[in-house]
Amino acid sequence: MVTSMGGGAFRDGTAVGVDIGGTGIKGAHVDLGAGRLVADRVRLRTPSPATPDATAGVVVAVLDQVGVGGPIGLTLPSVIRAGVVETAANIDPAWVGTNAAELFAHATGRAVAVVNDADAAGIAEMQFGAGRGQRGVVVVVTLGTGIGSALFSDGTLVPNSELGHLPLHHGDAEDWAAESIRERDNLSWKKYAQRLQEYLALLEKLLWPQLIIIGGGVSKKAEKFLPRIKLRTKVVPAQLQNNAGIVGAALFAPSLPTQSLAR
Ligand code: BGC
């Protein structure tokens, strides 16, 4: 199914989600009721340097290829408050202080919402994946270039939790236990599982969650490390994997085509 241009979240229960990452910008038309992509996703390379203007240019190109109008939700790997980028741990420092909601609304001419990447993936996982119906405190942890987190209480998101920056081994936890560190240092799965064990034990000690969901690309290989993790908290792999960010981004798309929502 493809909606006509100018459709969007409010009219037919679909919206476009765009997930902006360090290497790729991925977008797709999303069925918001089913949490599934309506058509194959489009992926273009993130520009280098990934300045705000260059990134907006690639977002426009992704949207052209997706070919569906209406409101959009976008993710960035940053703290986002009221549409403004507050941090840039793994993206171009030029983003800090940028009103991303305004930038993308201007570049695309559409109603947009901008949200932290892990919060988007987490929302998708809570609605359609491993966190469905889960009450109490849930932490979704995304392991990638950095460590992202999405914190929920009875299904409600506490945005911008940034638990990848908890201190661990005299630095940020993400510099110790992100998937990129496993790859960079060629860590064995056993060694990587030990690092995750330490990190997740810290989360457990501080937050006492009912459930921890492990997302990010490496969650596809969860059988390599999850069986080694020993916590009181139940720890499960994410179910949506690659598309969680896109689906979550679309869920944040403003529901009224005329409304410009800067989250
Ligand atoms: C950023 C977060 C982001 C995470 C995953 C961290 O370095 O601070 O905002 O969610 O990486 O991309």
Side-chain angles (χ1 to χ4, degrees), residues 54-259:
T55 303
V58 178
V59 165
V60 169
V62 166
L63 292 172
D64 281 350
Q65 290 191 33
V66 172
V68 179
I72 48 175
L74 301 113
T75 75
L76 280 171
S78 313
V79 169
I80 312 284
R81 285 195 306 181
V84 176
V85 178
E86 306 278 4
T87 63
N90 292 305
I91 57 166
D92 196 288
W95 279 97
V96 175
T98 300
N99 189 323
E102 271 176 29
L103 172 82
F104 292 124
H106 184 73
T108 64
R110 305 191 194 199
V112 309
V114 184
V115 60
N116 170 266
D117 58 353
D119 283 347
I123 284 271
E125 225 23 77
M126 291 301 284
Q127 287 209 17
F128 303 109
R132 220 171 331 172
Q134 179 69 50
R135 309 292 295 168
V137 172
V138 179
V139 185
V140 181
V141 174
T142 63
L143 304 172
T145 309
I147 295 183
S149 64
L151 178 62
F152 296 87
S153 174
D154 286 342
T156 301
L157 174 71
V158 180
N160 298 310
S161 53
E162 292 292 315
L163 301 174
H165 295 284
L166 282 173
L168 192 64
H169 289 282
H170 309 291
D172 279 13
E174 70 175 15
D175 298 330
W176 175 253
E179 161 64 359
S180 61
I181 303 297
R182 183 189 71 80
E183 287 178 347
R184 188 194 68 190
D185 296 349
N186 206 11
L187 300 177
S188 66
W189 287 109
K190 186 174 173 203
K191 187 94 201 150
Y192 187 56
Q194 282 168 358
R195 292 191 177 199
L196 280 180
Q197 170 73 33
E198 284 184 68
Y199 174 59
L200 298 176
L202 179 62
L203 288 186
E204 181 178 76
K205 189 166 88 175
L206 297 173
L207 294 166
W208 288 82
Q210 250 94 352
L211 177 68
I212 295 176
I213 300 174
I214 304 292
V218 74
S219 63
K220 273 181 260 176
K221 298 177 193 155
E223 80 286 352
K224 307 257 193 213
F225 57 91
L226 274 197
R228 298 177 196 264
I229 305 287
K230 303 283 177 247
L231 296 173
R232 336 167 168 232
T233 313
K234 192 171 164 199
V235 186
V236 298
Q239 289 171 3
L240 271 69
Q241 296 177 345
N242 269 348
N243 293 331
I246 301 176
V247 171
L251 288 170
F252 276 91
S255 55
L256 293 169
T258 49
Q259 178 191 10

